[in-house]
């Protein structure tokens, strides 16, 4: 089975001014595909600054996360040429770069200051030592919680909570008559939606996707314990209709005061702590991602990044935009125009050395420590043949992860038992890995 066929199979299964000095002399019209997360919405708002400086024009295709991944994967695997700039992540970039589908990003100039980008973030977007995308923001995961509700209930969140702690807190802080839910977690199916959280839950409960011989482990006791925990706590203390809630929906629930706790991406902190966006900006605190059997893989490692397809005929203009949108000057522009709390997090050392950002972002130190502590090479208690914390860095994972996400969502919705869902997930994983030649 060819590499392209594997990637297409994966997406079908998913169902789903110094910095502009390099701008070309002839104006170009670029199409950019991006996700509808808050940081990207700010990028779209500020992009006219680059357009004015260069004479180029951007056409925006802004999509929900699952849809973005499907559209971009299909386009690049078929060399469809719809997009000149892609928003992709730490999962796709090394795989697609190795396949020759992305333009290298090592020629943006000395003034770009590659050394300012945190090394683990650069590494996550590289293959064989070559950078194939530049990071727009990076994140791990941690626990947001309502300090006012904790104080009123006489509760104290530990710096390092356990999932047992989270259950006790969720029980005490749920008041469904007030639409106040003890816990909000991702339920929308997708390898980068519900499985981003569930993957870390499985890790810390002692589970893994595959053993050292690539044999799937989805019907193991650890998986059953982790997914059983997830379904139980969300059924008792989570919001109704949780299988429709991904990152953005939960962010909105928390920001409007409906969640006592939320375990999710550290990048959301800039939104939650921004009084222009959040009703709980002055009522929120944070702790590390919860742990269970092991701390390994409890907090994810991710970067959203910008890349240029190797097939693009407008690479010079596209790279000019990438350089601008991921630069130190862009971070300053966001800080000055939107407030420093909204600056893109997790990518550049200079951001965390900036006293204005540190003052505006009380979460800054915790976030960067979480990002640097995440270890994609050792994501689980037991040895594994793959890298990746909340994903498995193989082409087949995009489809398999989403299929498993759909089965987990069906268990959360009460359509089948956890054991039945995981038995089906195991069967699908065995079939996928056998067809791809990982196992005989």
């Amino acid at each position: 089975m060819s590499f392209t066929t594997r990637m297409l199979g994966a997406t079908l299964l998913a169902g789903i001014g110094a910095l502009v000095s390099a701008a070309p002399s002839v104006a170009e019209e670029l199409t950019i595909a991006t996700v509808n997360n808050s940081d990207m919405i700010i990028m779209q708002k500020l992009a006219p600054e680059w357009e004015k400086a260069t004479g180029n024009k951007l056409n925006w295709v802004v999509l929900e996360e699952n849809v973005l991944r499907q559209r971009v994967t299909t386009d690049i695997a078929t060399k469809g040429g719809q997009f000149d700039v892609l928003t992709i992540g730490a999962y796709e970039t090394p795989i697609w770069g190795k396949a020759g589908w992305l333009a290298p990003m090592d020629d943006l100039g000395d003034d770009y200051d590659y050394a300012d980008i945190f090394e683990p973030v650069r590494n996550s977007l590289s293959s064989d030592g070559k950078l194939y995308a530049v990071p727009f923001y990076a994140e791990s995961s941690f626990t947001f919680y309502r300090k006012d509700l904790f104080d009123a209930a006489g509760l104290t969140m530990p710096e390092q909570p356990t999932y047992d702690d989270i259950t006790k807190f969720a029980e005490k802080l749920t008041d469904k008559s007030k639409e106040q839910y003890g816990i909000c977690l991702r339920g929308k199916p997708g390898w980068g939606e519900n499985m981003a959280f569930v993957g870390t839950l499985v890790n810390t409960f002692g589970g893994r996707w595959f053993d050292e011989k690539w044999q799937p482990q989805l019907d193991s006791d650890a998986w059953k314990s982790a997914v059983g925990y997830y379904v139980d706590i969300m059924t008792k203390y989570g919001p109704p209709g949780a299988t429709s809630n991904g990152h953005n929906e939960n962010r909105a629930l928390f920001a409007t005061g409906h969640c006592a706790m939320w375990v999710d991406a550290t990048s959301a902190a800039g939104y939650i702590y921004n009084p222009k966006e959040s009703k709980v900006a002055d009522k929120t605190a944070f702790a590390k991602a919860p742990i269970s059997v092991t701390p390994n893989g409890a907090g994810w490692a991710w970067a959203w990044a910008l890349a240029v397809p190797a097939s693009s005929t407008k690479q010079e203009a596209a790279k000019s935009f990438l350089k601008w949108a991921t630069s130190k000057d862009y971070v300053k522009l966001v800080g000055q125009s939107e407030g420093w709390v909204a600056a893109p997090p997790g990518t550049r050392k200079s951001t965390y050395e900036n006293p204005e950002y540190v003052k505006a972002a009380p979460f800054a130190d915790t976030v960067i420590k979480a990002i640097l502590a995440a270890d994609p090479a050792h994501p689980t208690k037991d040895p594994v043949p793959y890298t990746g914390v909340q994903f498995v860095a193989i082409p087949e994972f995009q489809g398999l992860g989403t299929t498993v996400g759909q089965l987990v969502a069906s268990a959360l919705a009460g359509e089948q038992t956890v054991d039945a869902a995981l038995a089906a997930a195991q069967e699908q994983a065995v079939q996928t890995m056998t067809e791809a030649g990982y196992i005989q």
Side-chain angles (χ1 to χ4, degrees), residues 352-410:
Y352 292 81
E353 294 165 356
N354 186 321
E356 292 180 279
Y357 179 71
V358 172
K359 181 180 178 181
F363 47 81
D365 186 58
T366 302
V367 167
I368 205 59
K369 284 180 179 176
I371 290 171
L372 297 177
D375 186 358
H378 301 92
T380 59
K381 176 175 68 71
D382 298 321
V384 291
Y386 56 85
T387 59
V389 178
Q390 78 282 19
F391 59 85
V392 178
I394 57 173
E396 293 74 19
F397 183 76
Q398 182 165 344
L400 176 61
T402 290
T403 298
V404 175
Q406 291 163 347
L407 290 164
V408 169
S410 73

Side-chain angles (χ1 to χ4, degrees), residues 270-317:
Y271 184 96
I272 297 300
Y273 277 80
N274 187 347
K276 297 177 185 176
E277 306 286 357
S278 170
K279 294 180 180 179
V280 297
D282 61 345
K283 301 177 177 67
T284 298
F286 48 87
K288 293 179 181 179
I291 61 172
S292 181
V293 174
T294 176
N296 288 30
W300 64 62
W302 184 253
W304 276 115
L306 301 176
V308 177
S311 58
S312 172
T313 60
K314 304 173 184 178
Q315 289 189 22
E316 188 178 354

Side-chain angles (χ1 to χ4, degrees), residues 9 78 83 103 130 146 165 193 203 209 229 275 304 326 347 349:
T78 60
F83 308 115
K130 184 169 287 188
R146 287 278 300 281
D165 294 329
E193 279 284 12
N203 291 341
W209 279 86
Y229 173 92
W304 276 115
T326 61
T347 60
K349 299 171 188 175

Side-chain angles (χ1 to χ4, degrees), residues 217-361:
Q217 302 293 301
L218 281 72
D219 58 356
S220 65
D221 289 344
W223 269 82
K224 290 176 182 177
S225 295
V227 177
Y229 173 92
Y230 166 76
V231 169
D232 185 63
I233 195 171
M234 286 290 284
T235 300
K236 291 178 178 175
Y237 311 123
T243 55
S244 297
N245 296 340
H247 170 80
N248 287 340
E249 292 81 7
N250 279 311
R251 188 187 68 199
L253 282 168
F254 192 91
T256 52
H258 292 290
C259 309
M261 295 179 292
W262 177 37
V263 182
D264 210 291
T266 57
S267 60
Y271 184 96
I272 297 300
Y273 277 80
N274 187 347
K276 297 177 185 176
E277 306 286 357
S278 170
K279 294 180 180 179
V280 297
D282 61 345
K283 301 177 177 67
T284 298
F286 48 87
K288 293 179 181 179
I291 61 172
S292 181
V293 174
T294 176
N296 288 30
W300 64 62
W302 184 253
W304 276 115
L306 301 176
V308 177
S311 58
S312 172
T313 60
K314 304 173 184 178
Q315 289 189 22
E316 188 178 354
K319 287 186 177 184
S320 168
F321 176 72
L322 266 61
K323 181 175 181 178
W324 174 81
T326 61
S327 66
K328 290 188 283 189
D329 280 3
Y330 176 82
V331 174
K332 291 177 185 176
L333 178 63
V334 175
Q336 292 163 0
S337 66
E338 308 300 313
W340 277 100
V341 72
T347 60
R348 287 188 170 273
K349 299 171 188 175
S350 54
T351 303
Y352 292 81
E353 294 165 356
N354 186 321
E356 292 180 279
Y357 179 71
V358 172
K359 181 180 178 181

Side-chain angles (χ1 to χ4, degrees), residues 116-168:
D116 187 50
I117 301 171
F118 287 107
E119 185 177 2
V121 178
R122 289 203 313 270
N123 291 343
S124 74
L125 301 171
S126 301
S127 177
D128 297 326
K130 184 169 287 188
L131 191 68
Y132 285 100
V134 283
F136 187 66
Y137 68 80
E139 64 190 24
S140 184
S141 54
F142 66 0
T143 306
F144 298 86
Y145 68 96
R146 287 278 300 281
K147 60 185 178 183
D148 58 328
L149 298 180
F150 270 69
D151 290 346
L155 302 173
T156 301
M157 173 70 80
E159 180 183 351
Q160 176 59 81
T162 66
Y163 275 105
D164 285 343
D165 294 329
I166 297 299
T167 301
K168 293 171 186 174

